[in-house]
């Protein structure tokens, strides 16, 4: 079962190209039949943006023959950080052409699959192209492939400072995605920035406001988001055959596990890892530090379902530890779900726990 990765807008393509580089480095760990790579060895990725400057980096993948040139769809101008402008396009033919070309690229990529399972869309909900055109593409894909899955990886803007329209764009984009997608995996820029600053301090020993460090921080943020996505969506032992063939159902099993109610589809994700051999209980405790306790209204958070992915489980010690019980208590899972915590394991050189949850507010 194969997935098509759809990267929309500047943020979606920046994160997506980091994802492509990570896939090229870890392809040998994905077993046979990776759901993100075609039989010909090219990436099942479609890059879409209204500004051609953003996609210059993707041309290197075309020259390396890891991405088809027809899968790069670009316009001639931006969308002005306006959701409506991105959704409806120009009042001239060029706007419709960008939408039609993007859908044609997705359709052709889906037809190259032996079986098309669904689309994973990477985008931001704060700008014009990622939020507006991304919402429109999600609706068009739902209409074109009504039985396929749609999982969106949506980057939420900082609380202030990015664009005067960012909150309106976010509201309109999430409302549209809630109608057409199966699950929305949220990443908050503020949290990614905080994590990236801590990581950059450990790497460089200092942190400042110079342009070089600012660019490095953005790269750390993208790598952090990609690391979390990889922790969830790369092949795992539970969904791999005895002959090491990946079934490619990780994105869709994620939806089944964490979205027991179709109307509740906003997902949170956290990851903790170490290059050293640590106890799973310690890693589970690290991930629970970011779990919110109460909402702004003063109500306690609870989780309807939690999926924990343990990578680096060489000796099947994860299931024998108390990490799952610790995650269940830490997330305050609802009583009506008889199996609120699902778990996957994978053999990996690094030890990490990545959990994804749908929280009831």
């Amino acid at each position: 079962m194969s997935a098509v990765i759809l990267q929309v807008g500047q943020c979606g393509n920046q994160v997506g190209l980091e994802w492509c580089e990570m896939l090229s480095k870890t392809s040998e760990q994905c077993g046979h039949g990776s759901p993100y790579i075609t039989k010909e060895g090219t990436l099942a990725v479609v890059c879409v943006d209204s500004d051609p400057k953003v996609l210059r980096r993707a041309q290197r993948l075309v020259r390396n023959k890891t991405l088809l040139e027809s899968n790069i769809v670009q316009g001639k101008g931006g969308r002005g950080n306006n959701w409506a402008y991105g959704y409806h396009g120009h009042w001239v033919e060029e706007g419709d052409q960008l939408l039609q070309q993007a859908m044609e690229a997705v359709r052709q990529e889906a037809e190259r699959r032996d079986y098309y399972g669904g689309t994973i869309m990477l985008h931001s909900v704060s700008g014009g192209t990622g939020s507006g055109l991304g919402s429109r593409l999600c609706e068009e894909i739902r209409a074109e492939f009504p039985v396929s899955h749609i999982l969106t990886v949506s980057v939420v803007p900082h609380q202030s400072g990015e664009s005067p329209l960012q909150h309106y764009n976010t509201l309109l984009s999430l409302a549209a995605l809630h109608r057409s997608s199966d699950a929305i995996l949220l990443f908050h820029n503020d949290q990614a920035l905080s994590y990236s600053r801590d990581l950059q301090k450990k790497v460089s020993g200092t942190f400042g406001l110079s342009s070089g460090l600012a660019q490095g921080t953005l790269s750390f943020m993208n790598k952090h988001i990609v690391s979390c996505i990889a922790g969830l969506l790369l092949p795992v032992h539970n969904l791999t055959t005895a002959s090491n063939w990946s079934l490619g159902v990780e994105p869709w099993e994620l939806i089944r596990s964490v979205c027991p109610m179709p109307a509740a589809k906003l997902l949170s994700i956290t990851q903790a890892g170490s290059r050293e051999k640590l106890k799973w209980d310690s890693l589970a405790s690290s991930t629970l530090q970011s779990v919110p306790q109460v909402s702004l209204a003063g109500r306690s958070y609870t989780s309807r379902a939690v999926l924990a992915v343990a990578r680096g489980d060489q000796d099947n010690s994860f299931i024998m530890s108390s990490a799952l019980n610790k995650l269940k208590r830490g997330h305050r899972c609802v009583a009506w779900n008889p199996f609120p915590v699902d778990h996957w394991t994978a053999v990996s050189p690094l030890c990490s726990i990545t959990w994804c949850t749908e929280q009831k507010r």
Side-chain angles (χ1 to χ4, degrees):
M1 184 180 292
S2 297
V4 174
I5 307 295
L6 176 61
Q7 305 169 183
V8 186
Q10 179 176 354
C11 176
N13 281 285
Q14 288 176 345
V15 174
L17 291 174
E18 290 285 351
W19 167 260
C20 293
E21 292 183 2
M22 185 276 304
L23 281 181
S24 63
K25 295 177 181 178
T26 60
S27 57
E28 67 277 1
Q29 301 176 13
C30 295
H32 304 294
S34 171
Y36 311 110
I37 301 177
T38 67
K39 293 182 294 185
E40 294 77 17
T42 59
L43 295 169
V45 172
V46 176
C47 305
V48 181
D49 199 1
S50 57
D51 190 345
K53 294 184 296 183
V54 177
L55 297 176
R56 290 174 182 171
R57 185 180 168 191
Q59 295 294 339
R60 295 204 300 264
L61 298 177
V62 176
R63 291 192 292 269
N64 295 335
K65 297 183 179 181
T66 56
L67 180 66
L68 297 177
E69 188 172 5
S70 60
N71 285 8
I72 298 180
V73 182
Q74 57 190 17
K76 299 178 180 179
R79 289 297 183 266
N81 291 325
N82 188 302
W83 180 90
Y85 196 14
Y87 184 88
H88 296 287
H90 295 287
W91 289 110
V92 293
E93 188 176 355
E94 190 267 333
D96 291 333
Q97 283 184 352
L98 186 62
L99 175 65
Q100 292 171 7
Q101 291 172 3
M103 282 302 301
E104 182 62 24
V106 172
R107 188 180 302 110
Q108 291 181 1
E109 194 60 49
E111 290 173 353
R112 295 187 186 101
R113 312 273 73 75
D114 291 332
Y115 180 81
Y116 169 64
T119 300
I120 302 173
M121 185 173 72
L122 312 179
H123 72 127
S124 168
V125 296
S126 64
T129 305
S131 66
L133 181 59
S135 300
R136 183 71 179 274
L137 283 170
C138 198
E139 294 175 356
E140 294 293 329
I141 293 172
R142 174 60 69 203
E144 183 75 17
F145 307 100
V147 297
S148 67
H149 299 280
I150 299 178
L151 171 65
T152 72
V153 178
S154 305
V155 179
V156 180
H158 297 283
Q159 290 188 359
S160 62
E162 287 193 37
S163 167
L165 297 177
Q166 65 179 25
H167 300 301
Y168 296 102
N169 295 338
T170 300
L171 178 63
L172 293 169
S173 180
L174 290 178
L177 294 176
H178 204 276
R179 292 191 297 267
S180 53
S181 67
D182 295 300
I184 305 170
L185 190 58
L186 294 177
F187 286 92
H188 295 267
N189 266 343
D190 290 320
Q191 295 178 1
L193 178 61
S194 176
Y195 176 87
S196 301
R197 283 178 171 173
D198 294 340
L199 182 60
Q200 194 170 11
K201 286 181 180 179
K202 295 179 182 178
V203 173
S204 62
T206 59
F207 183 82
L209 298 176
S210 65
S211 59
L213 284 176
Q215 186 66 27
T217 302
L218 180 60
S219 176
F220 273 110
M221 292 174 64
N222 293 334
K223 292 181 184 296
H224 168 65
I225 294 175
V226 169
S227 176
C228 292
I229 298 173
L232 282 179
L233 302 185
L234 285 183
V236 294
H237 175 73
N238 307 62
L239 304 176
T240 304
T241 65
S243 56
N244 201 32
W245 280 89
S246 170
L247 299 178
V249 297
E250 284 80 7
W252 327 133
E253 284 297 301
L254 166 68
I255 297 173
R256 181 197 63 79
S257 298
V258 190
C259 297
M261 299 175 60
K265 57 186 69 175
L266 295 177
L267 308 181
S268 302
I269 179 174
T270 297
Q271 184 182 69
S274 174
R275 294 183 179 275
E276 301 176 355
K277 184 67 175 180
L278 294 179
K279 293 183 178 180
W280 294 113
D281 297 349
S282 177
L283 287 177
S285 299
S286 299
T287 64
L288 291 174
Q289 293 177 2
S290 61
V291 176
Q293 300 298 318
V294 294
S295 65
L296 295 177
R299 293 190 294 268
S300 298
Y301 278 89
T302 57
S303 296
R304 295 184 177 93
V306 180
L307 171 64
V309 183
R311 298 188 180 272
D313 189 13
Q314 308 284 351
D315 52 1
N316 296 322
S317 58
F318 176 74
I319 190 63
M320 303 300 295
S321 68
S322 60
L324 289 177
N325 289 329
K326 184 171 292 187
L327 289 173
K328 183 177 180 180
R329 293 193 303 269
H331 286 279
R332 296 183 294 277
C333 297
V334 293
W336 52 262
N337 189 349
F339 305 103
V341 180
D342 196 1
H343 71 279
W344 300 341
T345 59
V347 177
S348 172
L350 303 180
C351 294
S352 68
I353 291 180
T354 307
W355 58 253
C356 181
T357 183
E358 197 287 313
Q359 292 178 330
K360 179 181 178 182
R361 293 164 174 80

